Amino acid sequence: MDKKKLSIIFAYFLIYVVWGSTYYFIGVALRGLPPFLLGAFRFTTAGLLLLAWCWYRGEPVFKKSLIKKSAISGIVLLFIDMAVVMLAQQYVSSSLVAIIASSTAIWIMALDAPMWKKNFCNPTVIIGIIVGFLGVMMLYIEQFNLDHQTFGHAEYGVLLLIFGCISWAIGTLYAKYRSSGEEEVNAFAGSAWQMLFASAMFWICATINGDMAKTDLSAVPTASWLSLAYLIIFGSIMAYSAYVWLLKVRPATEVATHAYVNPFIAVFIGVTLGKENVTWIQIAGLVIILLSVMLIQKKPSTK
């Protein structure tokens, strides 16, 4: 097996398994840090470390076209989605966040305009998208009807997550189609700039919200700092860079299949480590969403 195939396998492991674990660690980090400040710390540190590594390796990190494209995808792909995930986890559990996030592959398929003619000539794909939306709606209705003693206004969290899924899908497709083939080698530098632009937005929001003044950093639990370190190293530097690189070398809808695995990893960790409750309706919603993703991944038959 050649080096590139091994790199692809390892990259898929990172976005399948490691990303699935980040939902739990975001929840732990949020126990001591407000969402915008958490995002600012996470992406500033990860972006600077990754950019310094790329510069050390001799990559053209200050290429104007790379920085420009990274600014757009960093704000749409990283800032909006991660801000939404962290804000939503104030209303819902990390397990439910991962379950809703599994619908991202459906949104990518629905919004991938250059592939509409190919994708929507298959009735199975259309059925899959409809089934997926029904699964998401089922979860929203459940949260709307639940007693909100634990989180409060859980339906707001679901709406935020749906918005975040759409933003992530748009950012993914932008990163896929607006990057030239020669930029494959600059994928890591692009990831670094995306994180830095996202961090700038987080700092602006944290400043407007007064997070620094409200937060006593000396009182932040050790578990929150350790979770932040995990998110920086494994969630951002390794897994997110792997995601951006995979978009350069593999089809976007194939890369989006991390939605198959992430929810199961997140639910397993949430239940075992976080002692979270997962309802039968949430499990049914997950199964329906993943079934829809499997349907839309089926390629039209060719004769």
Side-chain angles (χ1 to χ4, degrees), residues 34-41 79 83 86-87 201-203 205-206 209 211:
F36 293 130
L37 195 59
L38 172 59
F41 284 157
F79 167 68
M86 291 186 290
L87 289 171
M201 297 300 298
F202 275 113
W203 280 116
C205 292
N209 201 41
D211 286 350

Side-chain angles (χ1 to χ4, degrees), residues 246-296:
L246 280 172
L247 287 174
K248 303 292 190 301
V249 299
R250 306 300 301 169
T253 50
E254 180 186 294
V255 179
T257 56
H258 64 83
Y260 289 126
V261 182
N262 285 174
F264 292 102
I265 299 297
V267 169
F268 176 77
I269 294 177
V271 171
T272 55
L273 295 182
K275 308 300 181 184
E276 296 175 354
N277 293 320
V278 180
T279 69
W280 285 109
I281 293 181
Q282 290 173 7
I283 295 297
L286 172 60
V287 171
I288 289 173
I289 291 171
L290 293 184
L291 174 62
S292 72
V293 173
M294 292 173 66
L295 287 172
I296 66 176

Side-chain angles (χ1 to χ4, degrees), residues 86-163:
M86 291 186 290
L87 289 171
Q89 284 195 222
Q90 298 177 103
Y91 301 105
V92 298
S93 68
S94 63
S95 297
L96 184 58
V97 171
I99 291 172
I100 297 292
S102 66
S103 67
T104 300
I106 302 171
W107 291 105
I108 290 176
M109 178 68 75
L111 297 173
D112 193 356
M115 295 293 290
W116 278 352
K117 185 175 180 180
K118 179 180 179 181
N119 291 333
F120 292 108
C121 69
N122 186 353
T124 305
V125 171
I126 300 174
I127 294 172
I129 290 177
I130 294 173
V131 169
F133 286 139
L134 289 176
V136 173
M137 284 302 300
M138 184 173 69
L139 293 172
Y140 175 78
I141 292 171
E142 184 211 26
Q143 294 303 310
F144 186 81
N145 292 327
L146 278 177
D147 183 4
H148 305 313
Q149 290 180 356
T150 303
F151 291 97
H153 297 296
E155 73 277 9
Y156 295 167
V158 175
L159 285 176
L160 280 170
L161 288 168
I162 293 172
F163 174 73

Side-chain angles (χ1 to χ4, degrees), residues 51 60-75 174 178-179 183 186 189-198:
L51 192 67
V61 296
F62 297 106
K63 189 177 179 181
K64 186 176 179 180
S65 61
L66 178 67
I67 295 174
K68 181 179 177 181
K69 292 174 181 178
S70 298
I72 298 173
S73 54
I75 293 172
Y174 178 87
R178 295 297 181 179
S179 298
E183 287 178 339
N186 296 328
S191 299
W193 281 114
Q194 288 174 26
M195 293 179 201
L196 290 175
F197 280 108

